[in-house]
């Protein structure tokens, strides 16, 4: 199921404090870019997720955020993607969401 136009508008509004954003539909969702670097995705099943790389992965894990994983057919264990669900507080607070995005971008 694809993300809705409302989901896209919500995410672009949420991160508008970062400056101009570009988007691209892919992976059954929407990728969000700042200056050509992907920093978040919107997925119809998982919502808004922030990308974690480098030491920022440890920060997201320490915040006890849910990492996006999926099970491939025949695989022994789930595959972990480098994205974590935003905390509910960040979904209600564009400043918090943009702070997390800026932190993510420093490691990408």
């Amino acid at each position: 199921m694809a993300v809705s136009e409302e989901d896209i508008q919500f995410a672009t509004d949420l991160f508008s404090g970062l400056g101009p954003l570009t988007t691209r539909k892919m992976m059954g969702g929407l990728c969000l870019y700042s200056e050509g670097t992907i920093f978040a995705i919107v997925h119809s099943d998982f919502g808004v997720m922030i990308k974690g790389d480098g030491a920022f992965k440890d920060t997201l894990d320490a915040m006890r955020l849910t990492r996006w994983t999926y099970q491939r057919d025949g695989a022994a264990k789930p595959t972990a993607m480098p994205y974590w669900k935003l905390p509910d507080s960040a979904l209600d607070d564009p400043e918090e969401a943009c702070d997390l995005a800026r932190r993510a971008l420093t490691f990408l």
Side-chain angles (χ1 to χ4, degrees), residues 13-96:
D13 287 348
L14 184 67
F15 293 113
S16 65
L18 295 175
L21 301 176
T22 54
T23 62
R24 182 174 175 201
K25 289 185 178 182
M26 61 171 39
M27 301 184 290
L30 181 82
C31 298
L32 292 114
Y33 299 83
S34 174
E35 298 181 8
T37 301
I38 185 171
F39 68 91
I41 62 173
V42 181
H43 191 279
S44 60
D45 292 333
F46 305 109
V48 181
M49 292 180 279
I50 197 81
K51 188 170 185 178
D53 208 358
F56 192 53
K57 293 188 299 188
D58 297 334
T59 300
L60 297 170
D61 283 335
M63 293 173 67
R64 304 181 66 86
L65 300 181
T66 303
R67 189 168 186 179
W68 177 21
T69 62
Y70 67 95
Q71 186 76 37
R72 292 182 186 204
D73 289 340
K77 62 181 184 175
T79 299
M81 300 298 290
Y83 295 94
W84 283 256
K85 288 184 73 168
L86 279 181
D88 290 341
S89 58
L91 294 173
D92 292 331
D93 183 354
E95 257 184 67
E96 181 182 354

